[in-house]
Amino acid sequence: MREKILEKSKELFLNLGFKSVTMDEIASALGVSKKTIYKYFKNKTELIAAVTDFIFSSISTGIDMICELKKDPIEEIFDIKRFVMYHLKDEKSSPQYQLQKYYPKIYASLSKKQFDVMRGCVIKNLNHGVEEGLYRKNIDVEFISRIYFNGMVSIKNKDLFPLDHYSMNTLMNYYLEYHLRGICTEKGVSKLEKQLEEKL
């Protein structure tokens, strides 16, 4: 039952936002009483903490599996983006923004974990790209891994990028192209352009 509660809550939170969804709505969507949910989670904050951990774990596992395939680094970045977008349902409600505003402690803990995982993944991707001659040899891998994370967080700020102007999918595509054009060699740029053509 705990898993079912997490799955349904995840779906509702990602579609409607962490603040917007009530415990009554979760219970109703599951066809159970609120009492059943409270058997597993003592309040909404505890449920949100568990759901964000649940989402984080499943996305991290999926990203690890993509990285293990040892694909071309540019293809890998786009595969990870597609995988994350599929799991976050295009973030229509800007859930990260609501989490930051209404549940700052949960947001801070999640951000730290995201940074650690993303930094490791980006560093591997950058080193692999340099070895393959797709990224420039003189890039500062540590600096780029940090700036990449910062940019990914910033595009989710709906004050900077209102969702009625840009979908999250569009923003991520723009950001990946911006990131890759800054570090690619000529060989890398031609691979990037192939990826962008395939997307269209």
Side-chain angles (χ1 to χ4, degrees), residues 29 62 121 128 196:
C121 181
H128 186 198
L196 295 171

Side-chain angles (χ1 to χ4, degrees), residues 138-159:
N138 62 343
I139 59 172
D140 185 323
V141 168
E142 183 63 41
F143 171 77
I144 291 168
S145 71
R146 289 169 184 271
I147 210 86
Y148 180 83
F149 176 78
N150 202 40
M152 273 295 181
V153 170
S154 295
I155 62 171
K156 292 177 182 181
N157 180 331
K158 68 174 189 180
D159 291 332

Side-chain angles (χ1 to χ4, degrees), residues 10 40 45 66 68 72 78 116 119 140 151 158 170 180:
K10 168 190 155 183
Y40 298 91
T45 303
I66 292 169
E68 275 166 26
D72 152 340
F78 282 95
D116 292 340
R119 181 172 160 270
D140 185 323
K158 68 174 189 180
T170 301
L180 289 165

Side-chain angles (χ1 to χ4, degrees), residues 5-187:
I5 296 168
L6 289 172
E7 279 288 357
K8 183 53 73 178
S9 302
K10 168 190 155 183
E11 186 189 311
L12 292 169
F13 288 144
L14 290 178
N15 285 323
L16 305 167
F18 288 101
K19 175 74 173 155
S20 317
V21 178
T22 65
M23 294 295 260
D24 282 313
E25 286 166 332
I26 295 167
S28 169
L30 281 161
V32 299
S33 69
K34 258 199 309 188
K35 218 161 108 180
T36 305
I37 298 174
Y38 287 127
K39 258 202 294 193
Y40 298 91
F41 306 97
K42 65 176 187 233
N43 53 41
K44 186 179 170 185
T45 303
E46 193 177 281
L47 174 60
I48 287 172
V51 168
T52 54
D53 269 348
F54 178 65
I55 296 170
F56 175 79
S57 296
S58 51
I59 289 177
S60 296
T61 303
I63 289 173
D64 286 345
M65 285 165 78
I66 292 169
C67 293
E68 275 166 26
L69 298 172
K70 299 271 185 259
K71 286 186 170 183
D72 152 340
I74 292 171
E75 195 183 340
E76 179 183 271
I77 280 189
F78 282 95
D79 282 356
I80 289 171
K81 178 234 137 189
R82 279 187 284 272
F83 173 79
V84 170
M85 291 312 302
Y86 173 77
H87 279 271
L88 294 181
K89 318 287 186 213
D90 202 19
E91 299 193 282
K92 294 178 193 71
S93 64
S94 190
Q96 188 151 323
Y97 179 81
Q98 286 201 6
L99 198 62
Q100 186 174 10
K101 191 170 178 185
Y102 300 106
Y103 302 93
K105 280 186 183 165
I106 297 172
Y107 174 79
S109 160
L110 182 65
S111 284
K112 163 114 184 46
K113 287 191 288 190
Q114 281 176 331
F115 173 71
D116 292 340
V117 165
M118 196 187 284
R119 181 172 160 270
C121 181
V122 173
I123 285 173
K124 278 183 198 158
N125 180 279
L126 292 169
N127 286 328
H128 186 198
V130 169
E131 283 161 24
E132 298 284 312
L134 298 172
Y135 303 157
R136 290 182 286 109
K137 281 189 164 53
N138 62 343
I139 59 172
D140 185 323
V141 168
E142 183 63 41
F143 171 77
I144 291 168
S145 71
R146 289 169 184 271
I147 210 86
Y148 180 83
F149 176 78
N150 202 40
M152 273 295 181
V153 170
S154 295
I155 62 171
K156 292 177 182 181
N157 180 331
K158 68 174 189 180
D159 291 332
L160 282 175
F161 300 103
L163 289 172
D164 52 354
H165 283 55
Y166 307 95
S167 75
M168 188 49 65
N169 194 42
T170 301
L171 280 172
M172 283 186 86
N173 285 335
Y174 283 169
Y175 182 64
L176 291 184
E177 183 178 357
Y178 175 81
H179 162 70
L180 289 165
R181 283 192 186 277
I183 61 172
C184 276
T185 58
E186 273 181 48
K187 182 181 167 187

